[in-house]
Amino acid sequence: MKQVYAVIMAGGAGTRFWPASRELLPKQLLALGPTANSLLRETSARIEAMVPSSRQTVVTAARLAEKTMAELPHAAVLSEPAPRNTAPCVGWATWTIAARDSEAVIMVLPSDHVVSDVPEFQKTLAVALASAAEGHIVTIGIKPTRAETGYGYIELESEVAAGVYRAARFVEKPNRARAEEYVASKRFLWNAGMFFFRAQDMERALRTHLPELAQGLDALRAAPEKLADLFPSLPSVSIDTGVMEKLSELRVVPGDFGWSDVGSWESAWDLGQKDENKNVLPEDAITVEASGNLVRQLGRMNGKLVALVGVQDLVVVDTEDALLIMPKSRAQDVRAVVEALKTRKNSKHL
Amino acid sequence: MKQVYAVIMAGGAGTRFWPASRELLPKQLLALGPTANSLLRETSARIEAMVPSSRQTVVTAARLAEKTMAELPHAAVLSEPAPRNTAPCVGWATWTIAARDSEAVIMVLPSDHVVSDVPEFQKTLAVALASAAEGHIVTIGIKPTRAETGYGYIELESEVAAGVYRAARFVEKPNRARAEEYVASKRFLWNAGMFFFRAQDMERALRTHLPELAQGLDALRAAPEKLADLFPSLPSVSIDTGVMEKLSELRVVPGDFGWSDVGSWESAWDLGQKDENKNVLPEDAITVEASGNLVRQLGRMNGKLVALVGVQDLVVVDTEDALLIMPKSRAQDVRAVVEALKTRKNSKHL
């Protein structure tokens, strides 16, 4: 089989994990999964057996380049001078890898997800890579476990090879009723933003569907020293809407490997190790009739004694310079706090 | 009028303000009132105009002597080698002041209460002191503002002088129904542990009602260098049950000056300055649909940004080494946390 390369997309900002996440410490650099490692490092480690880090490329934002390199010292880092959404990210990485290996088979993975069943994940990747190596553009669709309205869905058509389906269409985030239909039908999968292709196939797809982007990438490949000028002028468009939804043929490999996009503090609780009262707590915490709570300590707050008395289903995040307390059910509203900080021009805490 | 002396009882331990209060930092050394000063310092300042600090004596525990002296550098400090309840405390201070001024009129005050109407408080003290100077043992009874079951009550008999009553009896903490009767009757006042007497009258009362204690105090006065031996052998009894309840005649001055014994974090919230949603918060805190909460920061946690989203009526206490979260209504249950720490032999956090 041709050499496989990985592109890990790690440019995300993310405000949903404030006060743990900050502009200079976004979600993928936090240990939000079950281990003490950052989501980014876990993403890299999860594929290391299939794609050694010497063939891993991380695409990130310039302001995060240093921390990203510290996390993954053996990976190549592409540092975007400006955020241009995922199509330029995937395109730039593809152009770069193709220059090194024109036969490359590439997997694109988000950097900030969690997988609990790694062997199953790797099996699914292998199926997707095999299909990509044959010249298909492939995505993994996650078997839904609930009527989630926060994700896009992919509708399956027919099975075209063992475990590989033709995609009927992409569907934007549905409403509740529609999401319930999707889950019941068993023909809809979650779009998890993982893509597999030969470099040449993505190049062709971009030339067809986003010719302006492809020309920009050609210019960049010809004059890499002009990155700071050229990159910000690339069209800002997602790989989903710019390419995937327009392909006449897209393959989907259904996956079921304990996937989570760790979308909020509530899902961090969901993934955490729970005590007998469903609390996710630091060691030595004292609880008196407290249940369903998540307490996270960061930096020097690590190891501080936490005592919860008679509280239920709270999220408590204690960092060196900020303390957040809210019900788990309000986890999305942490954005309101970030907005308030912006209004106050409080850059220290952003 | 004879010289007035003040005895401030500051030996209390108190676990109800954990994690702010510790064995080495009890309630009276905390700024639990509306100002940034400790309750002890406020107690001293509140009477300074009537009794300069050179005539104030603070009785405290040996382990707290250093911090107490730092708080009140101009007061005399009596340092108890062992806790023996309030009768030996009042007795020792009385014997000590009497040796300096046999005509002394003494007021005894707890160190850990709050008074919001200081002029009215001082007026009440003046009435009590005048009665004490005439040879009566006097207490102040607080006009009840609710059917509190956590305090002892004093029943009034007849008014014997302007604003001065004869006490009918002391009553231990009543049940709810009884407390409601007491408040309705207007003849019952809260016992706030404030006492006024001439040194000679207290000396006589102790010789009559606690002769063993009086003899011990005589021995101590004769050989002050034997404090560590003598003090711990004094009978451990409260001034209320050992003396006040046994007096054939006790005077009571009703007081109504915004008194609080700051009995729990809930009362700290009660006393705090509230925002428009009844939150008592550090400066710059961010709230999103949060109301009725108390957040206290101590030490290096001072100034940390606090964000509350969608939480109601919580107590949050953030110190350098501990974080407590509980509903205000559970404020008494902080004792359970302290018990858990004792069980774990966690002396660091006690």
Side-chain angles (χ1 to χ4, degrees):
Chain A
M1 188 170 163
K2 292 147 192 160
Q3 292 268 58
V4 177
Y5 296 78
V7 174
I8 301 175
M9 294 187 293
T15 57
R16 281 175 293 180
F17 288 91
W18 188 90
S21 65
R22 303 290 172 100
E23 285 184 351
L24 291 177
L25 192 66
K27 181 186 163 198
Q28 65 271 20
L29 296 178
L30 298 174
L32 291 168
T35 77
N37 293 328
S38 71
L39 296 178
L40 172 61
R41 189 178 295 187
E42 288 288 313
T43 299
S44 169
R46 203 180 292 136
I47 57 170
E48 181 74 27
M50 308 176 74
V51 188
S53 52
S54 57
R55 292 203 307 271
Q56 295 180 12
T57 296
V58 189
V59 190
T60 189
R63 71 178 191 292
L64 304 173
E66 201 178 335
K67 282 181 184 153
T68 301
M69 285 188 252
E71 277 293 288
L72 298 183
H74 302 294
V77 172
L78 293 178
S79 172
E80 299 177 338
R84 303 306 287 158
N85 210 328
T86 50
C89 164
V90 171
W92 186 25
T94 300
W95 258 239
T96 305
I97 292 166
R100 172 175 163 190
D101 180 351
S102 63
E103 302 283 293
V105 176
I106 298 175
M107 64 166 89
V108 174
L109 302 174
S111 59
D112 56 354
H113 296 173
V114 154
V115 164
S116 63
D117 185 348
V118 174
E120 184 62 28
F121 173 68
Q122 292 174 338
K123 266 191 237 170
T124 312
L125 290 189
V127 174
L129 286 168
S131 179
E134 287 169 8
H136 302 291
I137 294 184
V138 185
T139 187
I140 287 177
I142 307 289
K143 288 186 183 167
T145 53
R146 59 184 186 273
E148 174 65 52
T149 57
Y151 302 149
Y153 286 70
I154 304 166
E155 186 178 359
L156 296 179
E157 220 180 82
S158 51
E159 189 166 14
V160 290
V164 184
Y165 292 73
R166 191 193 290 260
R169 57 177 179 129
F170 275 73
V171 192
E172 294 286 312
K173 297 174 185 177
N175 62 25
R176 169 71 51 183
R178 192 61 58 88
E180 278 166 9
E181 283 173 34
Y182 288 173
V183 175
S185 78
K186 304 205 185 277
R187 288 190 307 109
F188 287 81
L189 303 175
W190 289 338
N191 177 8
M194 304 183 206
F195 302 107
F196 306 80
F197 46 78
R198 296 186 309 187
Q200 57 197 291
D201 296 324
M202 179 51 68
E203 196 169 323
R204 190 177 322 112
L206 284 174
R207 291 200 192 283
T208 304
H209 300 292
L210 293 171
E212 196 194 334
L213 172 58
Q215 285 157 29
L217 292 169
D218 287 341
L220 183 56
R221 185 153 58 184
E225 74 282 2
K226 291 190 182 157
L227 176 69
D229 284 338
L230 292 173
F231 198 89
S233 68
L234 297 178
S236 179
V237 55
S238 83
I239 191 76
D240 297 63
T241 59
V243 177
M244 298 299 159
E245 294 177 13
K246 292 176 176 157
L247 292 174
S248 58
E249 200 167 312
L250 172 69
R251 297 285 154 100
V252 187
V253 177
D256 190 2
F257 37 70
W259 172 88
S260 167
D261 74 338
V262 205
S264 69
W265 282 118
E266 188 169 22
S267 35
W269 170 81
D270 219 37
L271 295 167
Q273 207 183 324
K274 295 175 192 64
D275 71 9
E276 67 277 18
N277 296 313
K278 299 193 174 172
N279 297 296
V280 178
L281 298 174
E283 242 181 293
D284 294 332
I286 292 177
T287 56
V288 179
E289 290 162 41
S291 61
N293 302 285
L294 168 73
V295 178
R296 278 296 181 112
Q297 300 173 316
L298 282 97
R300 279 196 305 238
M301 297 306 105
N302 237 307
K304 191 159 141 176
L305 179 68
V306 171
L308 302 181
V309 179
V311 290
Q312 273 75 45
D313 300 316
L314 290 183
V315 170
V316 177
V317 187
D318 193 14
T319 76
E320 290 186 15
D321 64 357
L323 173 65
L324 167 71
I325 302 176
M326 62 183 174
K328 279 204 309 262
S329 60
R330 299 290 299 262
Q332 298 300 339
D333 293 332
V334 69
R335 291 165 194 264
V337 176
V338 174
E339 286 312 308
L341 290 170
K342 284 179 182 163
T343 304
R344 290 185 188 183
K345 302 196 191 304
N346 176 339
S347 58
K348 184 187 165 206
H349 291 99
L350 281 169
Chain B
M1 188 170 163
K2 292 147 193 158
Q3 291 269 59
V4 177
Y5 296 78
V7 174
I8 301 176
M9 294 186 291
T15 56
R16 281 175 293 181
F17 288 91
W18 188 90
S21 65
R22 302 291 172 100
E23 286 185 351
L24 292 176
L25 192 66
K27 180 187 164 199
Q28 65 271 19
L29 295 177
L30 299 174
L32 292 169
T35 77
N37 293 330
S38 71
L39 297 179
L40 172 61
R41 189 178 296 188
E42 288 288 312
T43 298
S44 169
R46 203 181 289 136
I47 57 171
E48 181 72 30
M50 307 175 75
V51 186
S53 51
S54 57
R55 291 204 305 272
Q56 296 179 12
T57 297
V58 189
V59 191
T60 189
R63 69 178 192 292
L64 304 173
E66 201 177 335
K67 282 180 183 152
T68 301
M69 286 187 249
E71 277 294 288
L72 298 184
H74 302 294
V77 172
L78 293 178
S79 172
E80 298 177 335
R84 304 307 286 161
N85 211 329
T86 49
C89 165
V90 172
W92 187 23
T94 300
W95 258 238
T96 304
I97 292 166
R100 173 175 163 189
D101 179 351
S102 63
E103 302 283 293
V105 176
I106 298 174
M107 64 167 87
V108 174
L109 302 173
S111 59
D112 57 353
H113 295 173
V114 156
V115 164
S116 63
D117 186 348
V118 174
E120 184 61 29
F121 172 69
Q122 292 174 338
K123 266 191 237 170
T124 311
L125 290 189
V127 174
L129 285 167
S131 180
E134 288 170 9
H136 302 291
I137 294 185
V138 185
T139 187
I140 287 177
I142 306 290
K143 288 188 183 166
T145 54
R146 60 183 185 275
E148 175 65 52
T149 57
Y151 303 149
Y153 286 70
I154 303 165
E155 186 178 0
L156 297 179
E157 220 180 83
S158 52
E159 189 166 13
V160 289
V164 183
Y165 291 72
R166 189 193 291 260
R169 57 177 179 130
F170 275 73
V171 192
E172 294 286 313
K173 297 173 184 177
N175 62 25
R176 169 72 49 186
R178 191 63 56 87
E180 280 166 6
E181 283 173 35
Y182 289 173
V183 175
S185 77
K186 302 201 187 282
R187 288 191 305 110
F188 288 81
L189 304 175
W190 289 338
N191 176 8
M194 304 183 207
F195 302 106
F196 307 79
F197 45 79
R198 295 186 309 187
Q200 56 196 299
D201 297 322
M202 179 52 67
E203 198 171 321
R204 190 177 325 111
L206 283 174
R207 291 199 192 283
T208 304
H209 300 292
L210 293 172
E212 196 193 335
L213 173 58
Q215 283 157 31
L217 293 169
D218 287 343
L220 184 57
R221 186 153 56 184
E225 73 282 3
K226 291 191 182 156
L227 176 69
D229 285 337
L230 292 172
F231 198 90
S233 67
L234 297 178
S236 178
V237 55
S238 83
I239 192 74
D240 296 62
T241 59
V243 178
M244 298 299 159
E245 293 177 13
K246 292 177 175 156
L247 293 173
S248 58
E249 200 166 310
L250 172 70
R251 298 283 156 102
V252 186
V253 178
D256 189 4
F257 36 73
W259 172 89
S260 167
D261 75 337
V262 205
S264 68
W265 282 117
E266 189 168 21
S267 35
W269 170 80
D270 219 39
L271 295 166
Q273 207 184 327
K274 295 175 191 62
D275 70 10
E276 67 278 20
N277 296 313
K278 299 196 174 169
N279 297 298
V280 178
L281 298 175
E283 242 182 293
D284 293 334
I286 292 176
T287 56
V288 179
E289 290 160 42
S291 61
N293 302 286
L294 168 72
V295 178
R296 277 298 179 108
Q297 300 173 316
L298 283 97
R300 280 196 306 239
M301 297 306 104
N302 237 308
K304 191 159 139 176
L305 179 69
V306 171
L308 302 181
V309 179
V311 289
Q312 274 75 44
D313 300 316
L314 290 184
V315 169
V316 177
V317 187
D318 193 14
T319 76
E320 291 186 16
D321 64 356
L323 172 64
L324 168 72
I325 303 176
M326 63 183 174
K328 278 205 308 262
S329 60
R330 299 290 299 262
Q332 298 299 340
D333 293 333
V334 71
R335 291 166 195 262
V337 176
V338 174
E339 286 311 309
L341 290 170
K342 285 179 181 164
T343 303
R344 290 185 187 183
K345 303 197 189 307
N346 177 340
S347 56
K348 185 186 166 206
H349 292 98
L350 280 169

